Amino acid sequence: MSEMIIKQYNEILKIIERYAETDGVHQTAIPSLFFMRDSNASVPRHGIYKPSFCMVVQGAKEVWLGQERFRYSPSDYLVASVHLPVTAQVTEATLDVPYLGFKLEFTSNQILEVLGNSEIGIRPRENAKRGMFVSRMEMPLLDVVIRLARLLDSPKDIPILAPLFTKEILYRILQGQQGVTLAQIAVEGSSANQIKDVIEHITNNYARSFRIEELAEIANMSVSSFHRHFKEVTAMSPIQFQKQLRLQEARRLLLTESADATDVAFRVGYESPSQFSREYSRMFGFPPRQDIKRLKA
């Protein structure tokens, strides 16, 4: 890294340390901006990534989407362009040098607004691409990230400047090598945008049973084309995607409500408690009751 880049990383590192003094996820005064801190290389954690721009300021992190691994460190950034069930793990962190992360969530409408006010060219009919990617951090992007973080020290400027800096961050990503991947999610008529509509439908109705023909109709695709494009965006089949959503929600309910495993199985859409227990164990490594007891301990 150049001396200038090191200086910039040191500045944002100090900002995150001030606003994230303890381990965990910290929401900031900018509603879509979150800081993360972790003093230990963690065990894998399951969760749903919303459309977001993520960077590691200190340490390193791995994210698994299906069977695909994305690793990023301070020289990179990661973008999730749609809602995706993932497994994430901090791989480099100590008490003295904790993992520090930066996450900015965004919407398709914000992407469209940037595209509408720029000359970035998009080919709507291009094949869908993976809904997650890692790219190299570049100076113009890092510069606007720091300007956004600085706003936390001048709260009165946040309502006016935070939306502008967020758009500039999206603009810089869209100008990057993988910008087309992000742009296609928002462009009406693109394969990625049609898959995004299905992802939102499954996410909002994960406890329902779906026929593949129903999902293909939402995407306005043939069944074979829908299968191919869905797997390209999410790295998994629609059934695998829905299963991950169900099991993650089941785990959340078991943790927060101390509910009975059988009741939770029915609530998230399983018809067989034994099947739920098998699939839960396969994903999280332990049966529901044992897993929750372990997590609470």
Side-chain angles (χ1 to χ4, degrees):
M1 288 188 185
S2 70
E3 187 176 334
M4 175 61 72
I5 292 178
I6 291 172
K7 182 178 178 181
Q8 288 183 303
Y9 270 102
N10 284 337
E11 180 179 354
I12 193 169
L13 183 148
K14 289 174 182 175
I15 293 173
I16 294 177
E17 285 183 328
R18 286 205 308 274
Y19 290 94
E21 295 181 342
T22 58
D23 285 0
V25 178
H26 301 263
Q27 183 164 11
T28 70
I30 300 170
S32 56
L33 178 62
F34 301 82
F35 293 155
M36 285 75 69
R37 182 187 184 108
D38 207 320
S39 298
N40 296 285
S42 64
V43 296
R45 294 170 180 166
H46 302 269
I48 308 295
Y49 269 27
K50 295 180 180 180
S52 53
F53 160 82
C54 307
M55 62 178 285
V56 172
V57 178
Q58 185 168 266
K61 191 171 187 177
E62 289 183 353
V63 177
W64 288 87
L65 177 64
Q67 299 300 311
E68 190 170 351
R69 182 181 72 166
F70 298 82
R71 188 180 192 278
Y72 62 117
S73 59
S75 57
D76 316 298
Y77 64 89
L78 177 142
V79 170
S81 59
V82 290
H83 287 73
L84 294 168
V86 301
T87 304
Q89 183 174 14
V90 171
T91 56
E92 291 182 18
T94 66
L95 195 60
D96 294 330
V97 186
Y99 161 83
L100 298 175
F102 174 111
K103 180 175 75 170
L104 178 68
E105 295 178 351
F106 55 79
T107 66
S108 293
N109 286 338
Q110 288 173 306
I111 299 171
L112 274 178
E113 190 172 351
V114 173
L115 290 172
N117 293 320
S118 69
E119 297 181 358
I120 298 172
I122 300 299
R123 296 191 297 272
R125 292 299 171 187
E126 194 166 317
N127 286 338
K129 292 178 170 51
R130 186 74 81 236
M132 178 174 284
F133 61 84
V134 172
S135 274
R136 301 291 290 180
M137 180 63 71
E138 297 179 347
M139 281 289 291
L141 177 57
L142 181 58
D143 177 67
V144 66
V145 164
I146 291 172
R147 282 186 277 126
L148 179 66
R150 283 178 188 151
L151 290 179
L152 296 173
D153 294 331
S154 54
K156 62 182 177 58
D157 296 332
I158 289 175
I160 300 299
L161 295 181
L164 297 178
F165 293 162
T166 298
K167 288 177 188 176
E168 186 177 346
I169 287 172
L170 291 173
Y171 176 70
R172 297 300 178 189
I173 297 170
L174 288 165
Q175 285 186 314
Q177 289 185 337
Q178 302 189 66
V180 66
T181 304
L182 178 61
Q184 283 191 335
I185 289 296
V187 175
E188 192 73 29
S190 71
S191 300
N193 182 261
Q194 291 167 298
I195 294 301
K196 176 184 74 72
D197 291 341
V198 178
I199 287 172
E200 290 177 354
H201 183 72
I202 296 175
T203 301
N204 293 331
N205 302 277
Y206 63 86
R208 274 188 51 199
S209 295
F210 298 109
R211 292 183 303 108
I212 196 68
E213 292 81 7
E214 176 188 352
L215 299 177
E217 187 176 346
I218 293 171
N220 195 27
M221 295 177 179
S222 68
V223 170
S224 59
S225 180
F226 166 67
H227 256 299
R228 177 166 52 85
H229 286 300
F230 190 94
K231 193 157 190 177
E232 183 57 44
V233 172
T234 67
M236 60 193 87
S237 70
I239 292 175
Q240 291 169 327
F241 185 92
Q242 182 184 33
K243 183 187 297 183
Q244 290 216 18
L245 292 179
R246 284 179 169 181
L247 291 172
Q248 291 199 29
E249 176 62 11
R251 198 186 206 195
R252 187 192 69 80
L253 291 171
L254 289 166
L255 267 173
T256 59
E257 299 185 9
S258 299
D260 177 73
T262 299
D263 177 54
V264 166
F266 291 133
R267 285 170 64 182
V268 300
Y270 279 88
E271 297 179 0
S272 165
S274 59
Q275 181 189 2
F276 167 70
S277 183
R278 283 196 305 273
E279 293 186 353
Y280 188 103
S281 299
R282 195 174 300 129
M283 181 165 174
F284 299 119
F286 299 90
R289 185 178 297 177
Q290 186 178 347
D291 180 50
I292 299 306
K293 184 178 180 181
R294 181 181 61 89
L295 290 174
K296 288 182 175 179

